Amino acid sequence: MIYCFLRAIFCVLYKLVFRAEILGKENLPKEGAVILAANHMSNVDPPLLATFLPRPVCYMAKQELFEVPILGFVITRAHSFPVKRGSGDRGAIKAAVTVLKQGRVLGLFPEGTRSKDGKIHKAEAGVALIASMTNTPVVPACIVGTDHILKNGGFLPKLKVIYGKSMRFSGNRKEKSELEAFSQSIMDAIAKMRDENR
């Protein structure tokens, strides 16, 4: 209920205020488990990434957000679950795996944190680990413009989201180098979409 209400509000906000353009929605499978992996530049990225999709997106969010009155209540009911940053949070990984075993959409930001300069940075191995543990396809998604909201020469910039072709991990999940390489290949795909859609 809360998720649908928020999605309706964000849909109006992004379309009317930010003239959001959405490309490649057909690349998200209509059913079954899938990881949606995107670059991350702003706090508005999670709702922007999910708003125009027909399926709800579940997110990991830093634990501190769940401790904020009202906000914690809202994001919990909007399919988010907490993760402790700066450590290998096994509970969060287990929760992510559970989401995928239920055949749902899991939204992740492979860089691990927001980019402060708008650039796409090195990916962490987490997205590849979760994909390998669940044999789940990864849909790379590129977010454009959110780093210019109210700053960097912009005020209400035109936003864009591009969903790319799905990718699968086919290596050995016990090899950290192979996990890191797959995570980075996702970020490389995102960077390519960004360069093609500027």
Side-chain angles (χ1 to χ4, degrees), residues 4 8 17 26 48 86 90 104 159 167 170 173-175:
C4 293
V17 179
E26 68 277 4
L48 175 61
R90 293 183 179 180
R104 302 166 75 187
L159 303 181
M167 309 168 66
S170 59
R173 70 182 176 92
K174 294 183 180 180
E175 291 291 337

Side-chain angles (χ1 to χ4, degrees), residues 61-121:
K62 59 183 181 180
Q63 185 173 358
E64 295 86 345
L65 296 179
F66 292 85
E67 298 167 0
V68 178
I70 301 178
L71 177 61
F73 174 85
V74 170
I75 62 176
T76 297
R77 281 150 186 80
H79 309 300
S80 293
F81 56 93
V83 58
K84 296 177 182 177
R85 295 195 302 176
S87 63
D89 187 347
R90 293 183 179 180
I93 293 175
K94 185 177 179 180
V97 169
T98 297
V99 164
L100 295 171
K101 285 185 176 179
Q102 293 171 345
R104 302 166 75 187
V105 182
L106 176 67
L108 295 176
F109 298 101
E111 294 160 291
T113 188
R114 279 180 293 150
S115 169
K116 301 296 190 299
D117 56 12
K119 297 179 181 179
I120 292 177
H121 295 275

